[in-house]
């Protein structure tokens, strides 16, 4: 797996968010996107995930040497971020079953149980997501993201809303992801930075 | 298509928990029907006027409920999550069929009521059902697409009706004139034109929507 | 310089058409003095349709190439289309008053133009409800195309469902042009002049739009 972000520039109307951000990553790499508040870390992540179009520049994915089209690329990555919500009225199991089926994940019930256990959410599978606390929602987002066993994992603020024990679990996930795929995190936390091989700074 | 079915299932599941869209559209339809019935009161309206009123009730009910399906995804910030797992075309079909089911459900409840309250008599029943079906397909096709557009703008509610009306008017006008034949005002043979218009309209609006949806969804 | 010559020609030509329409052209016997509206009403209506078509083409181009220029062109064409639609409605309405007795009676032609006005209004309402320019450009382009594919249903099908009192358009059902020589000369010159005026207005608006985008870009680079 290979990700190439080539001279990406983003304007919101006349306001420059960032200019000429370039980097590459392949399996085994991890990158931290850093920058002060409002510098466009989240915007960059959204562009990398095809959720937003860059004003200039391109984002390219390759798998086994083949360039992936937009319609294919989305299968290879997952995103965790504060603006990405799950369906509040549905239970965790209904949510995850829906997403698993949408992504053609074989044997998802087992995987689901395992991930729920790992994120310490066992026993809450059949509660509606709206009854979850913000920390539990964050854990659930990790379950959602890991369900598809992504080749690239994008995490916006890995530690948001989590307690000590949650952070430990997340760190072990990040360590694993870094070994078997690409890890890209947006953070300002010096703790998180130890997971990054190198840093990409965004600013206007 | 299987993915579209999954999205439809998910939306129905969600709808069952809140019943927001169903309640909104059904209550709206009943309220409008009551208003129409009251204002006509003891006067006897001709079948021609009743045919038009029926479609006006259905149109405004549709306007009150069909945008919910996209507005909900935007407001709860789940649209992005859905984008990460689904192709636009499947999203469109899932939402389209949800709206179609919603509208047909309303028709199943409102039309018998309308018959009972308004003294509305249909002579050619199967023809009437065909007209209803073609009309609903058109309303849903255009309505779903406009709903996707307005879910990304401000002042969503007002905008939905304003944007939908000119687009849906051809199917509305044809449906009214075809319904006129179904109640026996004009011979059915005369309104072949209206039926053709509706079929052509349905095909055109749904095809255009499928082709354009990608741009709106992934803007 | 070339531009100036063109503008002068246009001015003289348009004046000629106006004089011709009121003085030179013969009158239609049955319809009397107010037949002369045809020299203005029909060209204006034709431009309404033309502007709508141009707007749809530029909307399509925008979606294809994603250049804000095209969205600005589509908006400009729609603005002019709206202006000409209003003119067509007003001239038509005046004629309807003198020959049918009312300003407005939902004749299919009146309905069609009214729908066009509604579409234009909806288009501008949509634009004003979206802040971000890329999003505004995409969504309004999609709406313009969606409206464009439904319009043929009004123009060609709805008028046939109802009986219309509107005089036949220029070419009647038998395929003949129902005018004498002088009328024909004035009518077609008027059609050409109005189209030329429209093209000139559109070009000016395009230039303004391009300039505006350039200013924005300069501001951006500052």
């Amino acid at each position: 797996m290979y990700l190439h972000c080539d001279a990406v520039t983003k304007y919101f109307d006349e306001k420059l968010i960032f200019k000429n951000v370039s980097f590459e990553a392949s399996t085994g790499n991890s990158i931290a996107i850093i920058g002060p508040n409002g510098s466009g870390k989240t915007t960059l992540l959204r562009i990398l995930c095809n959720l937003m179009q860059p004003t200039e520049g391109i984002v390219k994915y390759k798998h086994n040497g083949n360039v992936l089209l937009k319609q294919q690329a989305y299968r290879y990555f997952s995103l965790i971020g504060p603006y990405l919500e799950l369906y509040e009225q549905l239970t965790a199991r209904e949510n995850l079953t829906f997403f698993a089926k949408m992504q053609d994940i074989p044997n998802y019930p087992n995987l689901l149980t395992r991930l729920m256990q790992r994120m310490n959410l066992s026993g809450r599978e059949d509660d509606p997501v709206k009854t979850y606390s913000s920390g539990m929602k964050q854990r659930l987002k990790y379950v959602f993201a890991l369900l598809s066993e992504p080749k690239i994992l994008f995490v916006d603020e890995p530690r948001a809303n989590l307690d000590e024990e949650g952070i430990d679990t997340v760190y072990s996930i990040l360590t694993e992801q870094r070994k078997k795929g690409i890890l890209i995190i947006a953070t300002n936390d010096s703790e998180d930075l130890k997971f990054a091989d190198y840093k990409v700074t965004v600013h206007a | 298509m299987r993915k579209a079915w999954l999205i439809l299932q998910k939306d129905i599941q969600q709808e069952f928990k809140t019943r927001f869209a169903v309640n909104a559209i059904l209550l709206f339809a009943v309220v409008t029907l009551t208003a129409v019935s009251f204002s006509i009161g003891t006067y006897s309206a001709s079948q021609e006027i009743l045919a038009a009123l029926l479609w006006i009730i259905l149109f405004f009910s549709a306007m009150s409920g069909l945008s919910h399906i996209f507005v909900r995804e935007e407001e709860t910030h789940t649209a992005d999550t859905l984008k990460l797992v689904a192709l636009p075309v499947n999203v469109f079909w899932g939402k389209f069929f949800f709206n179609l089911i919603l509208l047909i459900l309303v028709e199943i409840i409102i039309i018998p009521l309308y018959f009972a309250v308004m003294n509305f008599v249909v002579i050619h029943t199967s023809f009437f059902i065909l007209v209803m079906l073609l009309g609903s397909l058109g309303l849903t096709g255009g309505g779903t697409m406009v709903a996707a557009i307005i879910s990304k703008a401000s002042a969503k509610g007002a905008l939905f009706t304003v944007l939908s009306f000119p687009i849906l008017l051809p199917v509305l006008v044809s449906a009214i004139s075809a319904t006129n034949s179904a109640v026996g005002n004009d011979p059915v043979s005369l309104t072949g034109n209206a039926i053709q218009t509706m079929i052509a309209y349905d095909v055109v609006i749904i095809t255009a929507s499928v082709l354009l949806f990608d741009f709106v969804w992934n803007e | 310089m070339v531009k100036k010559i063109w503008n002068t020609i246009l001015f003289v030509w348009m004046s000629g058409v106006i004089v011709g329409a009121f003085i030179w052209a013969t009158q239609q016997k049955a319809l009397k003095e107010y037949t002369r509206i045809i020299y203005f009403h029909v060209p204006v209506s034709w431009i309404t349709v033309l502007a709508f078509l141009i707007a749809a083409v530029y909307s399509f181009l925008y979606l294809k190439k994603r250049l804000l220029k095209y969205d600005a062109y589509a908006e400009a064409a729609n603005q002019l289309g709206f202006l000409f639609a209003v003119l067509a409605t007003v001239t038509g309405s005046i004629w309807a008053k003198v020959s049918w007795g009312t300003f407005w009676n939902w004749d299919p032609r009146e309905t069609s133009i009214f729908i066009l006005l509604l579409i234009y209004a909806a288009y501008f309402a949509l634009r004003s409800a979206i802040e971000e320019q890329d999003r505004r450009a995409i969504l309004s382009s999609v709406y313009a195309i969606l409206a464009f594919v439904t319009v043929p249903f009004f123009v060609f099908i709805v008028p046939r469902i109802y009986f219309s009192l509107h005089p036949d358009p220029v070419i009647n059902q038998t395929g003949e042009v129902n005018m004498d020589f002088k009328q024909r000369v004035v009518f077609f010159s008027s059609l050409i002049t109005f189209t030329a005026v429209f093209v000139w207005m559109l070009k000016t608006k395009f230039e303004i739009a391009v300039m505006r985008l350039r200013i924005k870009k300069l501001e951006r680079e500052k």
Side-chain angles (χ1 to χ4, degrees), chain B residues 32-201:
Chain B
T32 328
L33 174 60
T34 317
V36 166
S37 171
F38 264 128
S39 49
I40 287 185
T42 48
Y43 306 105
S44 56
S46 68
Q47 295 290 314
E48 211 166 7
I49 290 175
L50 290 180
L53 282 175
L54 175 63
W55 278 100
I56 290 171
I57 293 174
L58 289 177
F59 171 75
F60 280 103
S61 308
M63 288 301 99
S64 76
L66 296 193
S67 66
H68 185 64
I69 191 86
F70 282 110
V71 173
R72 183 167 64 192
E73 297 276 5
E74 291 293 332
E75 279 176 356
T76 56
H77 303 287
T78 46
D80 283 345
T81 321
L82 194 56
K83 272 177 219 168
L84 285 177
V85 298
L87 287 175
V89 64
N90 293 328
V91 175
F92 178 80
W93 285 118
K95 305 289 185 194
F96 172 82
F97 282 113
F98 180 86
N99 275 345
L100 189 63
I101 291 170
L102 193 63
L103 193 61
I104 288 176
L105 194 75
V106 169
E107 283 168 7
I108 288 172
I109 294 168
I110 283 298
I111 291 171
L113 267 178
Y114 196 76
F115 285 141
V117 179
M118 305 297 291
N119 208 8
F120 185 57
V121 188
V122 164
I123 296 170
H124 310 285
T125 316
S126 52
F127 183 74
F128 179 73
I129 292 170
L130 175 73
V131 172
M132 282 294 151
L133 211 62
L134 288 175
S136 311
L137 272 173
L139 283 188
T140 316
T144 306
M145 188 59 196
V146 175
I149 294 176
I150 61 105
S151 71
K152 310 213 165 187
S154 53
K156 301 177 170 66
L159 215 50
F160 188 41
T161 317
V162 170
L163 262 61
S164 301
F165 184 67
I167 293 206
L168 295 180
L169 205 58
V171 74
L172 211 56
V173 170
S174 321
I176 289 171
S177 84
T179 309
N180 256 326
S181 316
V183 297
N185 273 335
D186 307 318
V188 172
S189 58
L190 255 182
T191 38
N193 207 340
I195 293 291
Q196 277 167 21
T197 310
M198 281 162 86
I199 294 173
Y201 178 89

Side-chain angles (χ1 to χ4, degrees), chain B residues 11-26:
Chain B
D11 278 322
I12 291 173
Q13 216 173 19
Q14 235 182 324
E15 188 53 41
F16 258 104
K17 309 242 169 158
T18 55
R19 289 183 210 91
F20 188 93
V22 171
N23 282 342
I25 195 171
L26 254 184

Side-chain angles (χ1 to χ4, degrees), chain A residues 46 51 53 71 74 77 79 83-87 89-90 94 98-99 101-104 144, chain B residues 2-3 6-7 10 13-14 17-18 73 76-78 80-87 218:
Chain A
R46 289 170 57 94
L51 289 176
Q53 308 284 338
Q71 302 94 288
Y74 76 100
F77 55 72
L79 169 67
Y83 39 86
L84 210 68
E85 301 291 344
L86 302 174
Y87 295 101
Q89 298 92 10
L90 303 182
E94 284 164 345
F98 167 65
F99 290 120
K101 282 184 181 165
M102 283 303 293
Q103 299 178 90
D104 297 309
F144 156 65
Chain B
R2 197 180 61 82
K3 297 285 168 65
L6 283 172
I7 293 173
K10 185 273 297 176
Q13 216 173 19
Q14 235 182 324
K17 309 242 169 158
T18 55
E73 297 276 5
T76 56
H77 303 287
T78 46
D80 283 345
T81 321
L82 194 56
K83 272 177 219 168
L84 285 177
V85 298
L87 287 175
N218 276 331

Side-chain angles (χ1 to χ4, degrees), chain C residues 153-219:
Chain C
F153 289 96
F154 296 111
V155 178
F156 299 112
I157 297 168
V158 176
R160 283 188 208 155
I161 294 180
Y162 302 109
F163 172 66
S164 174
L165 286 170
H166 193 279
D168 276 325
V170 191
I171 295 161
N172 61 15
Q173 272 147 359
T174 48
E176 294 161 23
V177 180
N178 203 1
M179 286 191 233
D180 72 13
F181 174 70
K182 282 182 176 180
Q183 288 172 329
R184 235 182 279 185
V185 169
V186 175
F187 178 77
F188 286 109
S189 334
S190 173
L191 210 56
I192 293 165
T193 327
F194 267 94
T195 313
V197 168
F198 168 70
V199 170
W200 169 71
M201 287 170 92
L202 197 63
K203 260 190 73 185
T204 315
K205 284 204 89 120
F206 281 6
E207 279 161 19
I208 295 171
V210 168
M211 260 185 256
R212 236 184 234 144
L213 285 173
R214 200 171 296 157
I215 291 169
K216 276 185 180 175
K217 208 177 168 199
L218 286 175
E219 270 174 2

Side-chain angles (χ1 to χ4, degrees), chain A residues 73-188:
Chain A
Y74 76 100
R75 295 175 175 280
Y76 295 92
F77 55 72
S78 288
L79 169 67
I80 298 161
Y83 39 86
L84 210 68
E85 301 291 344
L86 302 174
Y87 295 101
E88 295 262 309
Q89 298 92 10
L90 303 182
T91 67
R93 195 191 298 281
E94 284 164 345
N95 262 297
L96 297 168
T97 309
F98 167 65
F99 290 120
K101 282 184 181 165
M102 283 303 293
Q103 299 178 90
D104 297 309
I105 295 164
N107 200 19
Y108 63 88
N110 284 336
L111 192 61
L112 204 153
T113 324
R114 225 174 51 230
L115 285 169
M116 287 298 271
Q117 238 158 28
R118 177 159 196 200
M119 295 313 299
N120 204 6
L121 287 169
S122 306
R124 294 297 299 267
E125 287 92 344
D126 295 311
D127 293 340
V129 174
K130 66 179 171 202
T131 65
Y132 279 35
S133 73
S134 51
M136 290 165 70
K137 275 181 199 162
Q138 180 74 2
R139 289 160 188 250
L140 194 61
K141 286 180 197 171
Y142 276 93
V143 179
F144 156 65
L146 295 175
L147 209 52
S148 57
E149 298 182 318
K151 296 271 188 290
I152 309 176
L153 182 65
F154 297 95
V155 190
D156 198 348
E157 296 179 39
R159 316 202 309 169
N161 297 324
L162 291 175
D163 54 17
E164 284 290 316
E165 175 241 324
I167 292 171
D168 285 344
T169 320
V170 165
Y171 278 179
S172 72
I173 289 168
L174 297 186
T175 317
E176 276 168 34
Q177 179 64 33
R178 191 179 169 182
K179 274 185 216 134
K180 62 178 187 194
I182 301 174
L183 171 69
I184 292 174
I185 51 176
T187 185
N188 271 324

